[in-house]
Amino acid sequence: MAMTGVIRPSHVALRVLDLEPAVKHYTEVLGLLETGRDKQGRVYLKAWDEHDHHSVVLREADAAGMDYMGWRVDSIQTLKDLSKKVEESGLATDCCWIPAGEHLETGERFRFTTTTGHTMELLAEKNKVGNCLPLVNPDPWPDGLKGMAPSRFDHCLLYGDDLDGVVKLFTEVLGFDITEQVVTEDDHNFRISVFLSCSTKPHDVAFIRQPMKGAFHHASFILDNWGEVLKAADIISKKKVSLDLGPTRHGITRGETIYFFDPSGNRNEVFAGGYIHYPDKPVITWTSDDLGRAIFYHDRKLNEKDRKSTRLNSSHNTYL
């Protein structure tokens, strides 16, 4: 499939409470590589098999969470075209251009806020620093990797109120496909959550309907296989990292997963498996009465934290 328009996630910018413990977590536990620091004190990191300069940006702040998520587009012309479409769509606010160089090794970025309150960016240029392997006769992986050693930043899961608006923006303006959705048992036209892909992956971003703006659930990084997820679980125990849930499998996306927290409380996921998505693949639908199996396929039920935050009711007020 020729990929055009928005082609993949580019980066996620996270707030952390104490920078150096966070950097230690992301480099020694997760296994990312530090690629630079800027005058603002931000730290830039990448997964080993990413060629771009960075995919994660950390900055110290009073509250943890996500600042924004960036998306790589296929050309400068596409960046100009999509920025115009976003501005004219009525589905985004706070549209502005961020000058080249504001991120290390990165060109101009177009920033906007979605109807769910999440800040997103589009960009066409980021310098390539390589993936730790030669481009001629490479080995399958480099020596000296640390921690879980994911090969790339994969996706984010986000919470927000106007799910319909953000889905319309991502599908009708930015060209994403809906791969999977969760709907209410009594109204299959009312979505609780949506999984969206701009590639051949099960999802590049997912949104869950919640009565709040701009909430962050997790940033996810891809591993090769189930065995690597189990190894990640061992590292979590060995390094005394705060475990959230897993290892287990999602019904949605079929992915194998484990959730854990960085020292500031930002949720991380490492993820393996899933399926190949093509644009003609039918949308997979889950209903709210089977929500436990959809999210945690083995347990077939929500964990205690999820149950406390779930408010499924006939008035469609809050979800998951």
Side-chain angles (χ1 to χ4, degrees):
M1 182 179 73
M3 295 176 61
T4 60
V6 181
I7 59 174
R8 58 179 167 82
S10 174
H11 55 259
V12 60
L14 299 174
R15 300 186 302 274
V16 296
L17 304 180
D18 193 349
L19 189 61
E20 293 310 321
V23 172
K24 185 176 181 180
H25 169 87
Y26 282 94
T27 56
E28 296 185 11
V29 175
L30 193 54
L32 303 183
L33 308 174
E34 182 176 336
T35 57
R37 301 192 181 207
D38 65 19
K39 293 179 180 179
Q40 297 183 43
R42 296 177 296 187
V43 177
Y44 295 76
L45 307 114
K46 66 182 284 294
W48 73 263
D49 203 20
E50 294 170 328
H51 288 264
D52 282 2
H53 179 266
H54 61 273
S55 60
V56 174
V57 184
L58 303 179
R59 76 172 178 95
E60 192 168 288
D62 293 333
M66 186 185 84
D67 279 333
Y68 46 86
M69 188 177 179
W71 299 92
R72 187 69 177 260
V73 304
D74 62 3
S75 67
I76 292 175
Q77 186 59 53
T78 295
L79 178 60
K80 293 177 181 178
D81 293 344
L82 285 179
S83 65
K84 183 178 180 181
K85 289 180 180 179
V86 170
E87 286 191 284
E88 293 176 348
S89 70
L91 297 168
T93 58
D94 303 320
C95 298
C96 64
W97 286 94
I98 308 299
E102 197 277 339
H103 264 198
L104 294 182
E105 306 291 330
T106 305
E108 192 175 33
R109 290 129 62 204
F110 177 71
R111 181 177 289 178
F112 57 93
T113 302
T114 68
T115 58
T116 50
H118 296 98
T119 301
M120 299 287 170
E121 300 180 334
L122 305 176
L123 65 148
E125 297 176 303
K126 187 182 288 184
N127 288 342
K128 295 191 180 298
V129 298
N131 71 337
C132 307
L133 294 170
L135 293 178
V136 178
N137 302 330
D139 292 314
W141 47 270
D143 294 330
L145 297 178
K146 294 182 179 180
M148 301 171 190
S151 58
R152 68 169 189 266
F153 163 53
D154 191 74
H155 68 267
C156 283
L157 175 61
L158 308 171
Y159 285 173
D161 54 354
D162 187 357
L163 188 67
D164 301 321
V166 79
V167 170
K168 189 172 183 180
L169 173 67
F170 270 80
T171 57
E172 296 183 12
V173 180
L174 297 177
F176 284 59
D177 293 328
I178 298 173
T179 58
E180 302 201 37
Q181 60 184 353
V182 180
V183 300
T184 56
E185 181 181 1
D186 59 339
D187 183 356
H188 287 198
N189 293 315
F190 190 84
R191 294 183 178 123
I192 298 170
S193 63
V194 176
F195 293 73
L196 299 156
S197 179
C198 62
S199 63
T200 59
K201 292 155 49 184
H203 60 331
D204 291 295
V205 68
F207 292 91
I208 292 179
R209 192 187 297 268
Q210 275 275 30
M212 59 185 69
K213 291 288 188 185
F216 170 74
H217 188 270
H218 71 261
S220 183
F221 301 83
I222 198 74
L223 297 175
D224 283 346
N225 53 57
W226 176 237
E228 291 297 303
V229 175
L230 296 179
K231 178 184 174 183
D234 291 340
I235 291 170
I236 287 167
S237 185
K238 184 175 182 179
K239 297 289 188 179
K240 297 180 173 59
V241 173
S242 178
L243 174 68
D244 183 29
L245 190 138
T248 186
R249 179 193 286 277
H250 294 307
I252 298 171
T253 76
R254 304 178 197 159
E256 298 134 2
T257 177
I258 188 167
Y259 290 119
F260 52 100
F261 295 99
D262 74 12
S264 301
N266 291 312
R267 186 183 279 102
N268 300 155
E269 178 191 35
V270 286
F271 175 93
Y275 50 77
I276 296 174
H277 167 76
Y278 291 111
D280 63 340
K281 186 178 185 298
V283 175
I284 297 171
T285 298
W286 297 80
T287 56
S288 57
D289 57 312
D290 208 11
L291 193 58
R293 195 169 66 102
I295 299 175
F296 302 124
Y297 186 75
H298 295 159
D299 286 349
R300 303 182 302 280
K301 61 185 178 182
L302 302 180
N303 66 14
E304 187 60 33
K305 290 185 287 293
D306 291 310
R307 281 195 294 269
K308 287 179 179 178
S309 65
T310 301
R311 303 285 189 275
L312 293 176
N313 56 59
S314 59
S315 63
H316 296 158
N317 285 333
T318 58
Y319 296 86
L320 205 58

